[in-house]
């Protein structure tokens, strides 16, 4: 599988770029520093306050003021901390009150709130990178946890004006592939990869190598030659492996295209930097 981690890392640019001008002073840099340790739970006080709950931001930031400021003092620059501690009420108003014009996505309310999705996405990318190296069984608790995390990240990102629709749809498609990793379809792919049965008898392969790991080859086996793939999977794993086959084949093909594009984009970025190309694991 490909490096989804780097792929999600490209989404780091949420709707939280430092603003040019702001009447209240832009505290987005500090919020970025705040949400990660809050997510990781490394400050004891965050156990009492769930800074990530969407529907009670107001109460949490009011009652959790001292906890918030304690973390900000440690993690943020002096000027950001001073800004926040002296004008906490201004900050509170911005982060808790939805602007009257809800399509004004440039509003700081959205910029600030969107930042809390980032730790979820980073966590998702990291955990996925770890699991992709393993061939997990169906209902592996780590995979189920990843599916939950995906749902949470997606819910967070989907709030009005937090992220661009294109970004939400990338993560949404990614989450579909995460769910697919818990399917009989995927379990069968892994079984075939692991056991590498001799497939030379299959006429539908027309002499092609089913095991050639090149992206283009894999892509063909999910598209033009998918009937052949289906036949092989059914023979080796039984009927259950091809339930939802069309959907999974399409998802796999889409994913390969995106991954290939992403890889190309990444290597172009690397080339511009004058550094070495990102090596491929598989
Ligand atoms: C920042 O805002 C000022 C005043 O609105 C504007 O003149 C300037 O071009 C802006 N700078 C950038 C980099 O957007
Ligand atoms: C957090 O709580 C644990 C257990 O109650 C305690 O041992 C630790 O010292 C506390 N850490 C901080 C930074 O207060
Ligand atoms: C906030 O959401 C949680 C879980 O989604 C729910 O249990 C709680 O009642 C909600 N609170 C408010 C004030 O809507
Ligand atoms: C709301 O904000 C959008 C985007 O900035 C703008 O196009 C629209 O005119 C605004 N609507 C009102 C009623 O101000
Ligand atoms: C996985 O869990 C689901 C829901 O609990 C259950 O219906 C299904 O039979 C399980 N599958 C396997 C292979 O354990």
């Amino acid at each position: 599988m490909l490096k989804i981690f780097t792929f999600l890392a490209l989404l780091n640019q949420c709707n939280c770029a430092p603003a040019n001008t702001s009447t209240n002073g832009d505290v987005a840099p500090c919020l970025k520093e705040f949400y990660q340790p809050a997510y990781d739970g490394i400050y004891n006080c965050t156990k009492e306050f769930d800074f990530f709950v969407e529907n009670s931001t107001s109460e949490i930031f009011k009652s959790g003021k001292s906890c918030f400021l304690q973390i900000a003092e440690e993690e943020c620059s002096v000027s950001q901390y001073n800004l926040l501690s002296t004008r906490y009420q201004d900050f509170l108003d911005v982060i808790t009150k939805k602007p009257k014009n809800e399509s004004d996505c440039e509003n700081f309310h959205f910029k600030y709130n969107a930042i809390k999705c980032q730790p979820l996405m980073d966590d998702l990318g990291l955990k996925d990178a770890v699991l992709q190296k393993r061939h997990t069984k169906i209902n592996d608790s780590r995979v189920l946890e990843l599916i939950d995390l995906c749902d949470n990240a997606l819910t967070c990102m989907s709030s009005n004006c937090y992220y661009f629709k294109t970004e939400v749809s990338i993560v949404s498609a990614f989450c579909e592939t995460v769910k697919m990793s818990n399917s009989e379809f995927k379990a069968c792919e892994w079984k075939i990869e692991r056991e590498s049965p001799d497939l030379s008898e299959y006429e539908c392969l027309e002499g092609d190598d089913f095991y050639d790991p090149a992206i283009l080859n894999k892509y063909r086996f999910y598209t033009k030659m998918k009937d052949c793939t289906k036949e092989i999977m059914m023979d080796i794993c039984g009927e259950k492996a091809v339930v939802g086959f069309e959907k999974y084949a399409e998802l796999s093909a889409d994913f390969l295209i995106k991954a290939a594009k992403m890889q190309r984009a990444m290597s172009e970025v690397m080339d511009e930097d004058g550094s070495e190309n990102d090596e491929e694991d598989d």
Side-chain angles (χ1 to χ4, degrees):
M1 267 299 188
L2 291 127
K3 284 185 182 168
I4 255 294
F5 176 54
T6 44
F7 167 69
L8 281 181
L10 286 182
L11 286 179
N12 262 342
Q13 307 100 358
C14 61
N15 183 11
C16 51
N20 181 5
T21 54
S22 151
T23 47
N24 289 328
D26 182 5
V27 294
C30 184
L31 287 172
K32 283 185 202 167
E33 301 301 326
F34 164 78
Y35 276 116
Q36 188 62 51
Y39 183 82
D40 295 334
I42 58 178
Y43 289 88
N44 284 344
C45 70
T46 59
K47 290 195 184 81
E48 272 175 72
F49 309 103
D50 186 351
F51 288 100
F52 294 86
V53 173
E54 190 67 43
N55 64 2
S56 53
T57 317
S58 182
E59 291 94 89
I60 296 293
F61 275 89
K62 263 184 214 149
S63 55
K65 178 180 174 181
S66 69
C67 179
F68 175 79
L69 287 176
Q70 182 204 331
I71 299 174
E73 190 170 13
E74 286 289 324
E75 305 286 340
C76 304
S77 70
V78 175
S79 61
Q80 289 269 301
Y81 171 71
N82 286 343
L83 197 57
L84 279 162
S85 56
T86 55
R87 300 169 76 173
Y88 195 76
Q89 188 58 46
D90 289 345
F91 164 67
L92 200 60
D93 287 346
V94 175
I95 199 160
T96 61
K97 288 186 189 137
K98 280 213 171 87
K100 283 204 184 72
N101 182 353
E102 290 211 17
S103 40
D104 177 18
C105 290
E106 292 296 307
N107 193 288
F108 275 74
H109 172 78
F110 300 122
K111 286 181 191 290
Y112 287 174
N113 277 286
I115 297 172
K116 67 170 168 282
C117 307
Q118 194 60 49
L120 275 84
M121 311 248 296
D122 291 347
D123 196 18
L124 189 58
L126 278 169
K127 290 194 169 127
D128 179 68
V130 170
L131 286 185
Q132 275 193 19
K133 295 199 173 26
R134 306 212 162 92
H135 290 181
T136 46
K137 294 210 169 70
I138 288 186
N139 290 348
D140 183 295
S141 61
R142 293 164 303 179
V143 174
L144 298 180
E145 192 195 323
L146 196 64
I147 291 173
D148 274 352
L149 187 55
C150 242
D151 287 341
N152 291 342
L154 209 49
T155 304
C156 187
M157 291 181 80
S158 303
S159 287
N160 177 40
C161 286
Y162 282 16
Y163 280 80
F164 293 116
K165 285 201 172 68
T166 47
E167 295 173 317
V168 177
S169 74
I170 288 174
V171 175
S172 171
F174 167 71
C175 287
E176 287 297 318
T177 66
V178 168
K179 282 177 191 153
M180 179 168 70
S181 69
N182 197 42
S183 66
E184 296 284 355
F185 173 89
K186 204 72 200 169
C188 181
E189 280 195 337
W190 282 335
K191 180 182 158 80
I192 295 175
E193 200 181 304
R194 189 174 60 242
E195 297 174 0
S196 307
D198 180 6
L199 304 174
S200 56
E201 301 278 289
Y202 284 88
E203 278 177 17
C204 66
L205 284 175
E206 295 168 13
D208 280 358
D209 180 7
F210 188 77
Y211 299 116
D212 178 353
I215 287 186
L216 188 62
N217 187 61
K218 287 183 162 187
Y219 179 77
R220 283 173 58 240
F221 278 104
Y222 291 128
T223 51
K224 234 173 97 186
M225 299 183 71
K226 66 182 174 184
D227 291 340
C228 189
T229 305
K230 189 172 178 179
E231 186 185 332
I232 292 171
M233 288 177 80
M234 205 150 81
D235 287 352
I236 293 174
C237 309
E239 194 78 44
K240 66 180 190 302
V242 296
V243 173
F245 178 87
E246 293 296 325
K247 182 184 110 185
Y248 289 133
E250 201 181 318
L251 261 174
S252 304
D254 285 354
F255 178 76
L256 285 174
I257 293 174
K258 285 205 191 90
K261 277 189 190 155
M262 204 61 73
Q263 246 179 7
R264 204 176 309 136
M266 293 294 290
S267 70
E268 273 162 20
V269 170
M270 296 287 182
D271 286 346
E272 276 166 22
D273 284 353
S275 39
E276 284 173 30
N277 279 353
D278 207 5
E279 271 177 35
E280 238 188 288
D281 282 343
D282 51 5

